Amino acid sequence: MARQMTNLFDSSKCTACRGCFSACKNSNQMPALFDRSYFGGPGNGTYDSKDGDTDAETLTMIRFNETEDPVDGVRWNFLKWQCMHCVDPICLKVCPKGAYTKLDWGCTFHDEEKCIGCQYCTYACPFGIPKYRKRTDTVTKCTLCYERVAEGLQPACAQTCAPGAIKFGYRDELLEEARERVKYLRVNGFPRATIYGETELGTGTNKLYILTDTPDKFGLPVKPQIEGNTIFWQNWVQPYFGWLIPIALGASALSFVTSRVIANKNKEYEGHAEGGHE
Amino acid sequence: MQWIPEYRDDVPRVERFNLLARSTHWIHTVTFLLCLFTGLALFLRADWLAVIFGGFRGAGLVHRIAAVVMTVTILTAMVIGVKGVIAWLKDLLRFGMNDIGFLLKFPAEFLGLKVKIPPQTRFNGGEKMNSMVTPTMVFLLMISGWIIWWPSIWWPGLVRASYWIHDIAMILATIMVSMHAYLGSFHPGSGESFWGMWKGTVRADWAQHHHTIWYDETYGEKAQAEAE
Ligand code: HEM
Ligand code: SF4
Ligand code: SF4
Ligand code: SF4
C-alpha cells in the first residue's frame, strides 16, 4: 500500500467563506442550484445549516453549527462536510456493480461509468454521503480530486482555502500535525478539542478533522456505525441464503430421475397418463 | 419419454381454473421470471446475466417494467376476481388432517414411490403450502421493491430493511416456484394439473381421484342435484 494521502480540515481556522464549496463546484463542473439555500434550506432563513447536506451537484459544503454554552457563550462551529473516504468503506462492499474502488493512496473512488443509480451505497454509508443525480441516473460524491492528485496537484478545495484550514498531504504527517494542534488548542481556550477520523468506524476514515469541540457540537455522529440491517443483508443474506435455490432445483432434478426410474421398474409408467398415485 | 400426460378431449372434463385465474397465473409467471433473472444479475453480480438484457441498465429497466405489469395485474385480478380470491382463501383455511396426511406422505410420492394419500379438497396440502408462501413472498417483493425504487420518500431504516426483505422473499419465492413449476408439469404423480392451468379443464376421473372432496362438492351427485 502506498503512503496514504488525504485532506485535513482544521475547524479552528475555517472562516466559513465557502471558497472550498465554490472551488469544488468549479473543478467538478457542477451547476449552482438556486432552488436551495446552502444556509439551511428553503424557509430556514438563518445561518444555521447544521441540517444542511451535500447533494448530487454539491460534493462539499460548510455546515454552520450554532452552540450555546454557559461558559463560552454562543459559538459558531464550522464543518466542511463531504465523503470521509473511510479506510474500510461500506459503500464499496454493498455496491452490486463494483463501482467503488479504494485507490492505493487512500481515496474511495466512485466510477460513474459503472454506477446504475440503485442507491444501495447511499443507505449503507454511515454518513449518508452518496447522493442520487437524476440527470445521469447515478450517485455522486467527493472524488478527493483524484485526477488533480494524479497530476501532482492538490484537491481544489485545499488549494483555494485562504486561511489554510484545509491541508492536503500524507496522512501520517497530517496526523502528527493534528495532534500538536489539538494540544495547543486545548490550552488555548478549547479544552475539548479533538481529532476526528483517526479511529472512527474501527479502522478510521482517511479524511481527518481537527475539531474545537466534541463531534456532536459539529453535527457529526459521535459513534458512527454501519446499521444492523445493512450488516445482516451483506454478511448473511448476500453470501449464504442464495444457496437455498440450487438445493430446491437439485431436489426437483432428483425427483425427476427417481420417479421415472421407479415407475419404469414397476412397469407402470402408463400410470402417469391415468392419473398418477393411488 | 413422456414429459406430461397428453391432453384428451374424448373423455369427460371438468373446469378447474377460469380464464381470469389462468391469465393472471401466466402473466405473473412471465413477469416473475423476468424480475427474477434481471434481479439475479444484481444479486449474483453476474455480468453474463445482465448481458442478456443489454447490460445492467437494461436489466434494471426490464425489472421495473415487469414489476409494474405484475403489480397492476395482481391488483386488478384481485378486484375483478374477488369472489375467486375469497373461495381460494377459504379453501386454504380448510387445512385439516387430510392436508397433514398429504404433507407427511408427500416426500415419498415426490421421489416416485406409491403411497395412499387421504382425500383432498380443491388444493391439496402441498398446494396449500405453495398458495400461502408464494403469494406472501410476492407481496413482500412488491412492497419492498416499490420502496427500493423510490427510497427517498421513506424512513431510511425501512429502505435498509427492504434490501434484505427483497432478497429473502426472492429466495423463498424462487424455491417455491421452482418446486411448483416442476410439480405442476413434469412430476409423474401430478398428472392432469398442468392442463387445469393451461386449458382450464381437467379429466373428471383425475379430479375425482386427486381432489375427491372438491370433486364431490362441486361436480358430485349431490352438487348436481342441488344445481338442478
Ligand atoms: C413487483 C415489484 C418489484 C419491484 C417494484 C422491484 C424493484 C426492485 C428494485 C428497484 C431493485 C433495485 C435494483 C435496481 O435498481 O435495478 C430490485 C432488485 C432486485 N429484485 Fe426486485 N422488484 C420487484 C419484484 C421482484 C421479484 C418478483 C423478484 C424475484 C423473483 C425480484 C428480485 C430482485 C433481486 C434479486 C434484486 C437484486 C437485489 C440485490 O442486489 O441484492 N424483484 N427490485
Ligand atoms: S463516507 Fe460513505 S461514501 Fe464516503 S467512503 Fe465512507 S462509506 Fe463510502
Ligand atoms: S448507486 Fe451506484 S455506486 Fe451506489 S451502490 Fe448503486 S451502483 Fe454502486
Ligand atoms: S477533494 Fe475535490 S471533490 Fe472533494 S470536496 Fe475537495 S474539491 Fe470537492
Side-chain angles (χ1 to χ4, degrees):
Chain A
M1 197 163 68
R3 211 166 157 200
Q4 302 291 286
M5 297 187 88
T6 190
N7 265 342
L8 167 69
F9 171 78
D10 186 343
S11 69
S12 68
K13 292 183 180 164
C14 176
T15 61
C17 71
R18 279 161 277 133
C20 53
F21 157 90
S22 303
C24 177
K25 282 220 173 226
N26 194 18
S27 169
N28 289 289
Q29 295 169 13
M30 289 182 156
L33 298 180
F34 296 104
D35 59 340
R36 65 168 281 200
S37 150
Y38 294 99
F39 307 109
N44 193 316
T46 71
Y47 282 84
D48 176 5
S49 65
K50 70 183 188 329
D51 298 321
D53 202 354
T54 57
D55 60 47
E57 308 283 5
T58 312
L59 306 185
T60 191
M61 66 172 301
I62 297 293
R63 280 181 165 179
F64 288 43
N65 293 276
E66 188 184 339
T67 61
E68 216 177 324
D69 187 285
V71 186
D72 306 324
V74 174
R75 263 184 186 168
W76 288 103
N77 290 334
F78 305 133
L79 184 83
K80 182 178 175 295
W81 182 236
Q82 76 296 297
C83 168
M84 300 295 287
H85 297 273
C86 307
V87 171
D88 183 14
I90 185 71
C91 54
L92 184 152
K93 221 169 155 191
V94 301
C95 175
K97 279 301 309 296
Y100 288 99
T101 32
K102 199 74 187 156
L103 301 186
D104 63 351
W105 56 274
C107 163
T108 305
F109 167 64
H110 171 251
D111 185 349
E112 258 195 72
E113 296 284 303
K114 287 190 183 160
C115 176
I116 53 165
C118 67
Q119 303 172 66
Y120 291 177
C121 52
T122 308
Y123 287 87
C125 171
F127 306 99
I129 288 297
K131 297 288 185 320
Y132 181 68
R133 180 162 70 181
K134 219 170 166 198
R135 73 177 158 98
T136 48
D137 192 20
T138 60
V139 296
T140 62
K141 72 164 196 71
C142 158
T143 64
L144 240 175
C145 289
Y146 69 97
E147 279 165 321
R148 293 173 56 94
V149 172
E151 286 168 24
L153 297 169
Q154 298 183 35
C157 54
Q159 175 158 335
T160 209
C161 183
I166 310 169
K167 191 169 173 192
F168 183 74
Y170 291 110
R171 192 172 185 269
D172 49 5
E173 278 175 19
L174 292 174
L175 254 178
E176 266 321 299
E177 213 180 300
R179 284 199 191 96
E180 289 302 311
R181 180 73 182 161
V182 164
K183 255 189 227 156
Y184 170 86
L185 288 171
R186 281 190 178 165
V187 293
N188 283 280
F190 301 100
R192 293 177 300 277
T194 180
I195 297 175
Y196 190 88
E198 185 180 8
T199 55
E200 269 65 25
L201 289 162
T203 45
T205 61
N206 189 33
K207 174 85 194 179
L208 295 170
Y209 284 138
I210 295 168
L211 304 179
T212 48
D213 207 336
T214 49
D216 55 306
K217 296 286 188 314
F218 284 82
L220 283 166
V222 179
K223 267 198 188 322
Q225 56 182 10
I226 294 154
E227 297 287 331
N229 273 319
T230 306
I231 294 172
F232 175 61
W233 175 43
Q234 283 303 308
N235 293 3
W236 296 96
V237 180
Q238 253 286 336
Y240 303 121
F241 283 39
W243 287 104
L244 292 169
I245 297 171
I247 292 175
L249 291 173
S252 299
L254 177 73
S255 156
F256 188 86
V257 173
T258 59
S259 55
R260 279 170 170 76
V261 168
I262 293 171
N264 279 343
K265 236 189 205 151
N266 295 348
K267 296 263 182 269
E268 274 169 356
Y269 195 65
E270 323 80 79
H272 186 180
E274 293 306 325
H277 65 67
E278 280 308 317
Chain B
M1 189 170 69
Q2 193 185 9
W3 291 85
I4 54 172
E6 89 184 280
Y7 179 81
R8 288 175 58 177
D9 45 18
D10 56 340
V11 292
R13 305 190 70 87
V14 292
E15 179 178 68
R16 185 145 167 85
F17 294 110
N18 65 22
L19 186 63
L20 179 69
R22 281 180 285 144
S23 24
T24 312
H25 177 272
W26 292 113
I27 293 173
H28 176 259
T29 308
V30 172
T31 50
F32 181 90
L33 292 177
L34 284 173
C35 278
L36 177 62
F37 288 111
T38 50
L40 280 180
L42 276 188
F43 182 75
L44 302 171
R45 307 184 172 186
D47 294 281
W48 58 271
L49 251 179
V51 165
I52 301 171
F53 303 94
F56 283 89
R57 286 203 182 274
L61 185 65
V62 173
H63 198 83
R64 284 163 171 77
I65 293 170
V68 170
V69 175
M70 180 194 286
T71 310
V72 170
T73 308
I74 290 178
L75 295 183
T76 319
M78 284 183 67
V79 173
I80 303 177
V82 65
K83 263 193 186 152
V85 173
I86 291 169
W88 168 70
L89 287 174
K90 271 192 182 151
D91 197 63
L92 296 190
L93 294 175
R94 278 174 87 179
F95 196 89
M97 284 311 290
N98 58 335
D99 294 303
I100 295 173
F102 180 97
L103 290 173
L104 288 177
K105 290 184 175 164
F106 182 71
E109 146 137 20
F110 185 63
L111 293 175
L113 297 168
K114 287 193 132 205
V115 283
K116 180 113 191 83
I117 297 233
Q120 299 292 309
T121 63
R122 181 164 185 201
F123 296 104
N124 66 38
E127 288 168 333
K128 285 196 176 92
M129 292 286 288
N130 180 54
S131 289
M132 285 185 243
V133 178
T134 308
T136 308
M137 292 307 141
V138 169
F139 266 96
L140 285 177
L141 276 167
M142 292 200 292
I143 295 166
S144 57
W146 286 99
I147 294 172
I148 300 172
W149 191 346
W150 308 101
S152 57
I153 56 176
W154 308 95
W155 171 54
L158 188 64
V159 178
R160 288 182 201 111
S162 294
Y163 293 143
W164 61 259
I165 292 172
H166 205 69
D167 282 359
I168 290 184
M170 176 275 289
I171 289 161
L172 294 181
T174 305
I175 291 172
M176 294 311 282
V177 164
S178 52
M179 303 285 273
H180 166 77
Y182 165 66
L183 286 167
S185 56
F186 303 137
H187 184 59
S190 307
E192 286 277 301
S193 308
F194 179 78
W195 297 118
M197 196 47 95
W198 191 249
K199 299 246 184 186
T201 60
V202 290
R203 288 171 51 163
D205 58 339
W206 178 88
Q208 190 170 22
H209 185 101
H210 277 243
H211 298 275
T212 313
I213 300 176
W214 172 64
Y215 183 83
D216 287 347
E217 283 172 2
T218 327
Y219 303 109
E221 277 159 25
K222 240 180 97 197
Q224 295 292 7
E226 270 168 31
E228 277 156 21

